[in-house]
PDB file of all heavy atoms in Angstrom:
ATOM      1  N   TYR A 190      80.964  10.802 -17.414  1.00  0.00           N
ATOM      2  CA  TYR A 190      79.760   9.976 -17.585  1.00  0.00           C
ATOM      3  C   TYR A 190      79.014  10.375 -18.852  1.00  0.00           C
ATOM      4  O   TYR A 190      78.611   9.514 -19.644  1.00  0.00           O
ATOM      5  CB  TYR A 190      78.844  10.115 -16.373  1.00  0.00           C
ATOM      6  CG  TYR A 190      77.573   9.304 -16.489  1.00  0.00           C
ATOM      7  CD1 TYR A 190      77.534   7.991 -16.064  1.00  0.00           C
ATOM      8  CD2 TYR A 190      76.418   9.852 -17.053  1.00  0.00           C
ATOM      9  CE1 TYR A 190      76.374   7.228 -16.186  1.00  0.00           C
ATOM     10  CE2 TYR A 190      75.262   9.110 -17.183  1.00  0.00           C
ATOM     11  CZ  TYR A 190      75.242   7.792 -16.749  1.00  0.00           C
ATOM     12  OH  TYR A 190      74.097   7.042 -16.891  1.00  0.00           O
ATOM     13  N   GLN A 191      78.843  11.673 -19.057  1.00  0.00           N
ATOM     14  CA  GLN A 191      78.129  12.138 -20.237  1.00  0.00           C
ATOM     15  C   GLN A 191      78.883  11.792 -21.519  1.00  0.00           C
ATOM     16  O   GLN A 191      78.272  11.424 -22.524  1.00  0.00           O
ATOM     17  CB  GLN A 191      77.905  13.649 -20.133  1.00  0.00           C
ATOM     18  CG  GLN A 191      76.931  14.038 -19.028  1.00  0.00           C
ATOM     19  CD  GLN A 191      76.888  15.530 -18.807  1.00  0.00           C
ATOM     20  OE1 GLN A 191      77.609  16.061 -17.962  1.00  0.00           O
ATOM     21  NE2 GLN A 191      76.055  16.199 -19.559  1.00  0.00           N
ATOM     22  N   ASP A 192      80.197  11.888 -21.484  1.00  0.00           N
ATOM     23  CA  ASP A 192      80.997  11.570 -22.673  1.00  0.00           C
ATOM     24  C   ASP A 192      80.934  10.091 -23.033  1.00  0.00           C
ATOM     25  O   ASP A 192      81.031   9.725 -24.209  1.00  0.00           O
ATOM     26  CB  ASP A 192      82.458  11.967 -22.446  1.00  0.00           C
ATOM     27  CG  ASP A 192      82.670  13.473 -22.444  1.00  0.00           C
ATOM     28  OD1 ASP A 192      81.777  14.192 -22.937  1.00  0.00           O
ATOM     29  OD2 ASP A 192      83.719  13.923 -21.948  1.00  0.00           O
ATOM     30  N   THR A 193      80.792   9.239 -22.037  1.00  0.00           N
ATOM     31  CA  THR A 193      80.800   7.797 -22.281  1.00  0.00           C
ATOM     32  C   THR A 193      79.406   7.206 -22.397  1.00  0.00           C
ATOM     33  O   THR A 193      79.270   5.995 -22.617  1.00  0.00           O
ATOM     34  CB  THR A 193      81.561   7.069 -21.145  1.00  0.00           C
ATOM     35  OG1 THR A 193      80.970   7.402 -19.887  1.00  0.00           O
ATOM     36  CG2 THR A 193      83.028   7.464 -21.147  1.00  0.00           C
ATOM     37  N   HIS A 194      78.364   8.018 -22.239  1.00  0.00           N
ATOM     38  CA  HIS A 194      76.991   7.528 -22.327  1.00  0.00           C
ATOM     39  C   HIS A 194      76.165   8.381 -23.285  1.00  0.00           C
ATOM     40  O   HIS A 194      74.979   8.619 -23.058  1.00  0.00           O
ATOM     41  CB  HIS A 194      76.334   7.508 -20.941  1.00  0.00           C
ATOM     42  CG  HIS A 194      76.926   6.523 -19.996  1.00  0.00           C
ATOM     43  ND1 HIS A 194      78.150   6.718 -19.396  1.00  0.00           N
ATOM     44  CD2 HIS A 194      76.475   5.309 -19.551  1.00  0.00           C
ATOM     45  CE1 HIS A 194      78.425   5.677 -18.614  1.00  0.00           C
ATOM     46  NE2 HIS A 194      77.436   4.829 -18.685  1.00  0.00           N
ATOM     47  N   THR A 195      76.781   8.816 -24.356  1.00  0.00           N
ATOM     48  CA  THR A 195      76.071   9.687 -25.301  1.00  0.00           C
ATOM     49  C   THR A 195      74.913   8.976 -25.980  1.00  0.00           C
ATOM     50  O   THR A 195      73.960   9.618 -26.439  1.00  0.00           O
ATOM     51  CB  THR A 195      77.037  10.205 -26.373  1.00  0.00           C
ATOM     52  OG1 THR A 195      77.705   9.080 -26.982  1.00  0.00           O
ATOM     53  CG2 THR A 195      78.087  11.128 -25.771  1.00  0.00           C
ATOM     54  N   GLN A 196      74.980   7.655 -26.070  1.00  0.00           N
ATOM     55  CA  GLN A 196      73.908   6.918 -26.727  1.00  0.00           C
ATOM     56  C   GLN A 196      72.653   6.844 -25.876  1.00  0.00           C
ATOM     57  O   GLN A 196      71.576   6.544 -26.376  1.00  0.00           O
ATOM     58  CB  GLN A 196      74.383   5.505 -27.083  1.00  0.00           C
ATOM     59  CG  GLN A 196      74.422   4.523 -25.920  1.00  0.00           C
ATOM     60  CD  GLN A 196      75.616   4.734 -24.993  1.00  0.00           C
ATOM     61  OE1 GLN A 196      76.413   5.632 -25.197  1.00  0.00           O
ATOM     62  NE2 GLN A 196      75.731   3.886 -23.986  1.00  0.00           N
ATOM     63  N   ALA A 197      72.779   7.094 -24.597  1.00  0.00           N
ATOM     64  CA  ALA A 197      71.638   6.941 -23.687  1.00  0.00           C
ATOM     65  C   ALA A 197      70.827   8.227 -23.606  1.00  0.00           C
ATOM     66  O   ALA A 197      70.567   8.755 -22.539  1.00  0.00           O
ATOM     67  CB  ALA A 197      72.130   6.521 -22.307  1.00  0.00           C
ATOM     68  N   TRP A 198      70.394   8.722 -24.774  1.00  0.00           N
ATOM     69  CA  TRP A 198      69.617   9.964 -24.802  1.00  0.00           C
ATOM     70  C   TRP A 198      68.292   9.804 -24.060  1.00  0.00           C
ATOM     71  O   TRP A 198      67.704  10.757 -23.572  1.00  0.00           O
ATOM     72  CB  TRP A 198      69.333  10.374 -26.246  1.00  0.00           C
ATOM     73  CG  TRP A 198      68.578   9.342 -27.022  1.00  0.00           C
ATOM     74  CD1 TRP A 198      69.099   8.377 -27.819  1.00  0.00           C
ATOM     75  CD2 TRP A 198      67.158   9.163 -27.061  1.00  0.00           C
ATOM     76  NE1 TRP A 198      68.103   7.589 -28.342  1.00  0.00           N
ATOM     77  CE2 TRP A 198      66.894   8.052 -27.907  1.00  0.00           C
ATOM     78  CE3 TRP A 198      66.079   9.812 -26.460  1.00  0.00           C
ATOM     79  CZ2 TRP A 198      65.609   7.594 -28.153  1.00  0.00           C
ATOM     80  CZ3 TRP A 198      64.797   9.347 -26.709  1.00  0.00           C
ATOM     81  CH2 TRP A 198      64.576   8.255 -27.561  1.00  0.00           C
ATOM     82  N   HIS A 199      67.822   8.555 -23.971  1.00  0.00           N
ATOM     83  CA  HIS A 199      66.522   8.301 -23.363  1.00  0.00           C
ATOM     84  C   HIS A 199      66.583   8.350 -21.839  1.00  0.00           C
ATOM     85  O   HIS A 199      65.545   8.282 -21.186  1.00  0.00           O
ATOM     86  CB  HIS A 199      66.018   6.920 -23.789  1.00  0.00           C
ATOM     87  CG  HIS A 199      66.975   5.817 -23.478  1.00  0.00           C
ATOM     88  ND1 HIS A 199      68.078   5.576 -24.255  1.00  0.00           N
ATOM     89  CD2 HIS A 199      67.018   4.910 -22.469  1.00  0.00           C
ATOM     90  CE1 HIS A 199      68.751   4.558 -23.753  1.00  0.00           C
ATOM     91  NE2 HIS A 199      68.144   4.139 -22.672  1.00  0.00           N
ATOM     92  N   SER A 200      67.777   8.468 -21.282  1.00  0.00           N
ATOM     93  CA  SER A 200      67.902   8.545 -19.823  1.00  0.00           C
ATOM     94  C   SER A 200      68.630   9.832 -19.473  1.00  0.00           C
ATOM     95  O   SER A 200      69.845   9.921 -19.591  1.00  0.00           O
ATOM     96  CB  SER A 200      68.683   7.332 -19.293  1.00  0.00           C
ATOM     97  OG  SER A 200      68.831   7.397 -17.904  1.00  0.00           O
ATOM     98  N   LEU A 201      67.885  10.838 -19.085  1.00  0.00           N
ATOM     99  CA  LEU A 201      68.472  12.134 -18.785  1.00  0.00           C
ATOM    100  C   LEU A 201      69.565  11.977 -17.729  1.00  0.00           C
ATOM    101  O   LEU A 201      69.332  11.375 -16.682  1.00  0.00           O
ATOM    102  CB  LEU A 201      67.396  13.091 -18.275  1.00  0.00           C
ATOM    103  CG  LEU A 201      66.315  13.484 -19.282  1.00  0.00           C
ATOM    104  CD1 LEU A 201      65.161  14.165 -18.562  1.00  0.00           C
ATOM    105  CD2 LEU A 201      66.871  14.398 -20.355  1.00  0.00           C
ATOM    106  N   PRO A 202      70.764  12.496 -17.982  1.00  0.00           N
ATOM    107  CA  PRO A 202      71.857  12.313 -17.022  1.00  0.00           C
ATOM    108  C   PRO A 202      71.601  13.080 -15.726  1.00  0.00           C
ATOM    109  O   PRO A 202      71.335  14.269 -15.738  1.00  0.00           O
ATOM    110  CB  PRO A 202      73.079  12.867 -17.766  1.00  0.00           C
ATOM    111  CG  PRO A 202      72.513  13.837 -18.742  1.00  0.00           C
ATOM    112  CD  PRO A 202      71.180  13.291 -19.146  1.00  0.00           C
ATOM    113  N   PHE A 203      71.663  12.370 -14.607  1.00  0.00           N
ATOM    114  CA  PHE A 203      71.515  12.999 -13.294  1.00  0.00           C
ATOM    115  C   PHE A 203      70.261  13.867 -13.235  1.00  0.00           C
ATOM    116  O   PHE A 203      70.327  15.085 -13.121  1.00  0.00           O
ATOM    117  CB  PHE A 203      72.771  13.790 -12.948  1.00  0.00           C
ATOM    118  CG  PHE A 203      74.007  12.948 -12.969  1.00  0.00           C
ATOM    119  CD1 PHE A 203      74.906  13.018 -14.004  1.00  0.00           C
ATOM    120  CD2 PHE A 203      74.250  12.042 -11.947  1.00  0.00           C
ATOM    121  CE1 PHE A 203      76.033  12.213 -14.033  1.00  0.00           C
ATOM    122  CE2 PHE A 203      75.372  11.228 -11.960  1.00  0.00           C
ATOM    123  CZ  PHE A 203      76.272  11.317 -13.015  1.00  0.00           C
ATOM    124  N   SER A 204      69.137  13.205 -13.340  1.00  0.00           N
ATOM    125  CA  SER A 204      67.841  13.879 -13.387  1.00  0.00           C
ATOM    126  C   SER A 204      66.945  13.352 -12.260  1.00  0.00           C
ATOM    127  O   SER A 204      67.305  12.388 -11.569  1.00  0.00           O
ATOM    128  CB  SER A 204      67.184  13.618 -14.743  1.00  0.00           C
ATOM    129  OG  SER A 204      67.097  12.219 -14.994  1.00  0.00           O
ATOM    130  N   PRO A 205      65.771  13.970 -12.038  1.00  0.00           N
ATOM    131  CA  PRO A 205      64.869  13.483 -10.989  1.00  0.00           C
ATOM    132  C   PRO A 205      64.597  11.991 -11.130  1.00  0.00           C
ATOM    133  O   PRO A 205      64.350  11.491 -12.226  1.00  0.00           O
ATOM    134  CB  PRO A 205      63.599  14.315 -11.216  1.00  0.00           C
ATOM    135  CG  PRO A 205      64.099  15.581 -11.832  1.00  0.00           C
ATOM    136  CD  PRO A 205      65.252  15.173 -12.705  1.00  0.00           C
ATOM    137  N   THR A 206      64.655  11.297 -10.018  1.00  0.00           N
ATOM    138  CA  THR A 206      64.642   9.833 -10.037  1.00  0.00           C
ATOM    139  C   THR A 206      63.480   9.273  -9.233  1.00  0.00           C
ATOM    140  O   THR A 206      63.178   9.750  -8.139  1.00  0.00           O
ATOM    141  CB  THR A 206      65.968   9.289  -9.464  1.00  0.00           C
ATOM    142  OG1 THR A 206      67.046   9.745 -10.291  1.00  0.00           O
ATOM    143  CG2 THR A 206      65.978   7.772  -9.442  1.00  0.00           C
ATOM    144  N   ASP A 207      62.831   8.256  -9.826  1.00  0.00           N
ATOM    145  CA  ASP A 207      61.825   7.458  -9.128  1.00  0.00           C
ATOM    146  C   ASP A 207      60.664   8.313  -8.627  1.00  0.00           C
ATOM    147  O   ASP A 207      60.212   8.159  -7.490  1.00  0.00           O
ATOM    148  CB  ASP A 207      62.474   6.700  -7.962  1.00  0.00           C
ATOM    149  CG  ASP A 207      61.644   5.507  -7.488  1.00  0.00           C
ATOM    150  OD1 ASP A 207      60.864   4.985  -8.301  1.00  0.00           O
ATOM    151  OD2 ASP A 207      61.774   5.120  -6.313  1.00  0.00           O
ATOM    152  N   LEU A 208      60.196   9.218  -9.498  1.00  0.00           N
ATOM    153  CA  LEU A 208      59.098  10.110  -9.138  1.00  0.00           C
ATOM    154  C   LEU A 208      57.929   9.912 -10.103  1.00  0.00           C
ATOM    155  O   LEU A 208      58.125   9.663 -11.293  1.00  0.00           O
ATOM    156  CB  LEU A 208      59.544  11.575  -9.191  1.00  0.00           C
ATOM    157  CG  LEU A 208      60.602  12.009  -8.181  1.00  0.00           C
ATOM    158  CD1 LEU A 208      61.017  13.445  -8.455  1.00  0.00           C
ATOM    159  CD2 LEU A 208      60.087  11.870  -6.758  1.00  0.00           C
ATOM    160  N   SER A 209      56.728  10.051  -9.586  1.00  0.00           N
ATOM    161  CA  SER A 209      55.534   9.954 -10.420  1.00  0.00           C
ATOM    162  C   SER A 209      55.138  11.332 -10.926  1.00  0.00           C
ATOM    163  O   SER A 209      55.148  12.313 -10.175  1.00  0.00           O
ATOM    164  CB  SER A 209      54.380   9.356  -9.619  1.00  0.00           C
ATOM    165  OG  SER A 209      53.191   9.376 -10.382  1.00  0.00           O
ATOM    166  N   GLN A 210      54.804  11.390 -12.215  1.00  0.00           N
ATOM    167  CA  GLN A 210      54.308  12.643 -12.785  1.00  0.00           C
ATOM    168  C   GLN A 210      52.786  12.744 -12.670  1.00  0.00           C
ATOM    169  O   GLN A 210      52.230  13.834 -12.728  1.00  0.00           O
ATOM    170  CB  GLN A 210      54.721  12.753 -14.254  1.00  0.00           C
ATOM    171  CG  GLN A 210      56.228  12.791 -14.431  1.00  0.00           C
ATOM    172  CD  GLN A 210      56.658  12.846 -15.885  1.00  0.00           C
ATOM    173  OE1 GLN A 210      57.441  13.692 -16.284  1.00  0.00           O
ATOM    174  NE2 GLN A 210      56.149  11.921 -16.687  1.00  0.00           N
ATOM    175  N   LYS A 211      52.139  11.592 -12.503  1.00  0.00           N
ATOM    176  CA  LYS A 211      50.682  11.558 -12.389  1.00  0.00           C
ATOM    177  C   LYS A 211      50.293  10.708 -11.179  1.00  0.00           C
ATOM    178  O   LYS A 211      49.799   9.595 -11.313  1.00  0.00           O
ATOM    179  CB  LYS A 211      50.072  11.001 -13.684  1.00  0.00           C
ATOM    180  CG  LYS A 211      50.351  11.866 -14.890  1.00  0.00           C
ATOM    181  CD  LYS A 211      49.624  11.388 -16.137  1.00  0.00           C
ATOM    182  CE  LYS A 211      50.215  10.124 -16.691  1.00  0.00           C
ATOM    183  NZ  LYS A 211      49.567   9.743 -17.984  1.00  0.00           N
ATOM    184  N   PRO A 212      50.512  11.240  -9.984  1.00  0.00           N
ATOM    185  CA  PRO A 212      50.281  10.446  -8.763  1.00  0.00           C
ATOM    186  C   PRO A 212      48.802  10.278  -8.444  1.00  0.00           C
ATOM    187  O   PRO A 212      47.959  11.069  -8.856  1.00  0.00           O
ATOM    188  CB  PRO A 212      50.968  11.291  -7.690  1.00  0.00           C
ATOM    189  CG  PRO A 212      50.842  12.689  -8.192  1.00  0.00           C
ATOM    190  CD  PRO A 212      50.987  12.594  -9.683  1.00  0.00           C
ATOM    191  N   CYS A 213      48.507   9.244  -7.692  1.00  0.00           N
ATOM    192  CA  CYS A 213      47.141   9.005  -7.227  1.00  0.00           C
ATOM    193  C   CYS A 213      47.016   9.500  -5.787  1.00  0.00           C
ATOM    194  O   CYS A 213      46.857   8.716  -4.851  1.00  0.00           O
ATOM    195  CB  CYS A 213      46.816   7.514  -7.323  1.00  0.00           C
ATOM    196  SG  CYS A 213      46.882   6.836  -8.980  1.00  0.00           S
ATOM    197  N   TYR A 214      47.112  10.812  -5.627  1.00  0.00           N
ATOM    198  CA  TYR A 214      47.100  11.400  -4.293  1.00  0.00           C
ATOM    199  C   TYR A 214      45.708  11.819  -3.839  1.00  0.00           C
ATOM    200  O   TYR A 214      45.507  12.135  -2.676  1.00  0.00           O
ATOM    201  CB  TYR A 214      48.011  12.635  -4.254  1.00  0.00           C
ATOM    202  CG  TYR A 214      49.479  12.344  -4.297  1.00  0.00           C
ATOM    203  CD1 TYR A 214      50.382  13.323  -4.695  1.00  0.00           C
ATOM    204  CD2 TYR A 214      49.992  11.109  -3.925  1.00  0.00           C
ATOM    205  CE1 TYR A 214      51.749  13.080  -4.735  1.00  0.00           C
ATOM    206  CE2 TYR A 214      51.346  10.846  -3.963  1.00  0.00           C
ATOM    207  CZ  TYR A 214      52.218  11.841  -4.368  1.00  0.00           C
ATOM    208  OH  TYR A 214      53.556  11.589  -4.402  1.00  0.00           O
ATOM    209  N   GLY A 215      44.790  11.890  -4.779  1.00  0.00           N
ATOM    210  CA  GLY A 215      43.459  12.345  -4.406  1.00  0.00           C
ATOM    211  C   GLY A 215      43.482  13.766  -3.888  1.00  0.00           C
ATOM    212  O   GLY A 215      44.102  14.649  -4.480  1.00  0.00           O
ATOM    213  N   ASP A 216      42.816  13.997  -2.756  1.00  0.00           N
ATOM    214  CA  ASP A 216      42.715  15.352  -2.223  1.00  0.00           C
ATOM    215  C   ASP A 216      43.935  15.760  -1.404  1.00  0.00           C
ATOM    216  O   ASP A 216      43.938  16.805  -0.764  1.00  0.00           O
ATOM    217  CB  ASP A 216      41.448  15.512  -1.376  1.00  0.00           C
ATOM    218  CG  ASP A 216      41.400  14.511  -0.227  1.00  0.00           C
ATOM    219  OD1 ASP A 216      42.378  13.748  -0.052  1.00  0.00           O
ATOM    220  OD2 ASP A 216      40.376  14.502   0.482  1.00  0.00           O
ATOM    221  N   LYS A 217      45.005  14.940  -1.412  1.00  0.00           N
ATOM    222  CA  LYS A 217      46.221  15.311  -0.699  1.00  0.00           C
ATOM    223  C   LYS A 217      46.980  16.431  -1.399  1.00  0.00           C
ATOM    224  O   LYS A 217      47.813  17.092  -0.807  1.00  0.00           O
ATOM    225  CB  LYS A 217      47.134  14.092  -0.535  1.00  0.00           C
ATOM    226  CG  LYS A 217      46.575  13.021   0.387  1.00  0.00           C
ATOM    227  CD  LYS A 217      47.549  11.870   0.530  1.00  0.00           C
ATOM    228  CE  LYS A 217      46.977  10.792   1.436  1.00  0.00           C
ATOM    229  NZ  LYS A 217      47.919   9.640   1.570  1.00  0.00           N
ATOM    230  N   VAL A 218      46.732  16.614  -2.683  1.00  0.00           N
ATOM    231  CA  VAL A 218      47.387  17.665  -3.457  1.00  0.00           C
ATOM    232  C   VAL A 218      46.384  18.757  -3.779  1.00  0.00           C
ATOM    233  O   VAL A 218      45.270  18.478  -4.232  1.00  0.00           O
ATOM    234  CB  VAL A 218      47.982  17.123  -4.771  1.00  0.00           C
ATOM    235  CG1 VAL A 218      48.456  18.260  -5.668  1.00  0.00           C
ATOM    236  CG2 VAL A 218      49.143  16.192  -4.472  1.00  0.00           C
ATOM    237  N   GLN A 219      46.781  19.997  -3.529  1.00  0.00           N
ATOM    238  CA  GLN A 219      45.950  21.125  -3.925  1.00  0.00           C
ATOM    239  C   GLN A 219      46.393  21.548  -5.318  1.00  0.00           C
ATOM    240  O   GLN A 219      47.366  22.270  -5.485  1.00  0.00           O
ATOM    241  CB  GLN A 219      46.092  22.286  -2.935  1.00  0.00           C
ATOM    242  CG  GLN A 219      45.171  23.449  -3.251  1.00  0.00           C
ATOM    243  CD  GLN A 219      45.303  24.581  -2.250  1.00  0.00           C
ATOM    244  OE1 GLN A 219      45.943  24.427  -1.212  1.00  0.00           O
ATOM    245  NE2 GLN A 219      44.711  25.720  -2.558  1.00  0.00           N
ATOM    246  N   TRP A 220      45.667  21.080  -6.325  1.00  0.00           N
ATOM    247  CA  TRP A 220      46.054  21.370  -7.701  1.00  0.00           C
ATOM    248  C   TRP A 220      45.789  22.832  -8.034  1.00  0.00           C
ATOM    249  O   TRP A 220      44.895  23.464  -7.450  1.00  0.00           O
ATOM    250  CB  TRP A 220      45.272  20.486  -8.666  1.00  0.00           C
ATOM    251  CG  TRP A 220      45.569  19.036  -8.530  1.00  0.00           C
ATOM    252  CD1 TRP A 220      44.770  18.075  -7.969  1.00  0.00           C
ATOM    253  CD2 TRP A 220      46.763  18.364  -8.936  1.00  0.00           C
ATOM    254  NE1 TRP A 220      45.377  16.858  -8.003  1.00  0.00           N
ATOM    255  CE2 TRP A 220      46.614  17.003  -8.593  1.00  0.00           C
ATOM    256  CE3 TRP A 220      47.937  18.773  -9.554  1.00  0.00           C
ATOM    257  CZ2 TRP A 220      47.595  16.050  -8.852  1.00  0.00           C
ATOM    258  CZ3 TRP A 220      48.918  17.826  -9.815  1.00  0.00           C
ATOM    259  CH2 TRP A 220      48.742  16.488  -9.466  1.00  0.00           C
TER     260      TRP A 220
END
Side-chain angles (χ1 to χ4, degrees):
Y190 179 88
Q191 292 171 267
D192 288 343
T193 56
H194 293 74
T195 54
Q196 78 284 1
W198 59 266
H199 56 282
S200 179
L201 294 167
F203 303 104
S204 55
T206 299
D207 200 25
L208 294 175
S209 175
Q210 298 178 128
K211 297 186 288 185
C213 299
Y214 288 159
D216 58 4
K217 293 182 181 179
V218 171
Q219 184 179 350
W220 295 106

